[in-house]
Amino acid sequence: QVQLVESGGGLVKPVDSLSLSCAASGRTFSKYANAWFRQAPGKDREFVASISWSGDSETYADSMKGRFTISRDNAKNTAYLQMNSLKPEDTAVYYCAGDPDYGSIWSRDYRYWGQGTQVTVSS
């Protein structure tokens, strides 16, 4: 069993940066792939990025490539999402997800979820 808690959301201006954290409980964190999804009001949950349990492989949604970076520190049981050059359209609730298998961009394939953290990009 893995429990995930996101933090780091907030209100920022366009082109600002923000770093999200996903703290996991449970000894098996290092055996799970992690992913970030986001959901804007009235829209479906959208894949942002994922990282393998070892950290050796990363996948990004096309619109996030070059702006967002996913990482993890298994010693701290924490995954991260660094977001740069933020745009108003990045406004959403950001969710951390975990699953034993790496590679899916579909939310239905992820077993564990955090409660989400709000990111608002506005001038």
Side-chain angles (χ1 to χ4, degrees):
Q1 186 77 11
V2 176
Q3 292 183 326
L4 305 173
V5 179
E6 303 95 335
S7 62
L11 172 64
V12 295
K13 291 181 168 50
V15 308
D16 279 354
S17 297
L18 198 62
S19 180
L20 305 182
S21 298
C22 172
S25 63
R27 300 177 186 177
T28 57
F29 172 79
S30 62
K31 300 300 184 185
Y32 285 78
N34 282 101
W36 289 92
F37 287 78
R38 69 185 186 184
Q39 189 165 18
K43 295 189 176 181
D44 292 335
R45 194 163 294 191
E46 175 187 26
F47 173 77
V48 174
S50 63
I51 188 167
S52 63
W53 67 268
S54 65
D56 289 344
S57 297
E58 300 167 17
T59 304
Y60 295 91
D62 287 343
S63 62
M64 285 68 158
K65 285 181 182 177
R67 297 193 301 127
F68 291 8
T69 302
I70 190 171
S71 61
R72 65 189 296 155
D73 185 339
N74 288 340
K76 296 181 178 180
N77 280 7
T78 304
Y80 305 94
L81 182 69
Q82 176 66 39
M83 305 183 292
N84 299 327
S85 301
L86 283 162
K87 306 173 183 180
E89 51 263 44
D90 294 317
T91 295
V93 177
Y94 283 71
Y95 296 92
C96 177
D99 194 80
D101 295 328
Y102 166 72
S104 176
I105 64 170
W106 306 108
S107 59
R108 63 176 178 264
D109 293 330
Y110 286 82
R111 188 176 307 183
Y112 301 109
W113 290 88
Q115 82 290 349
T117 185
Q118 176 71 47
V119 172
T120 302
V121 184
S122 175
S123 55

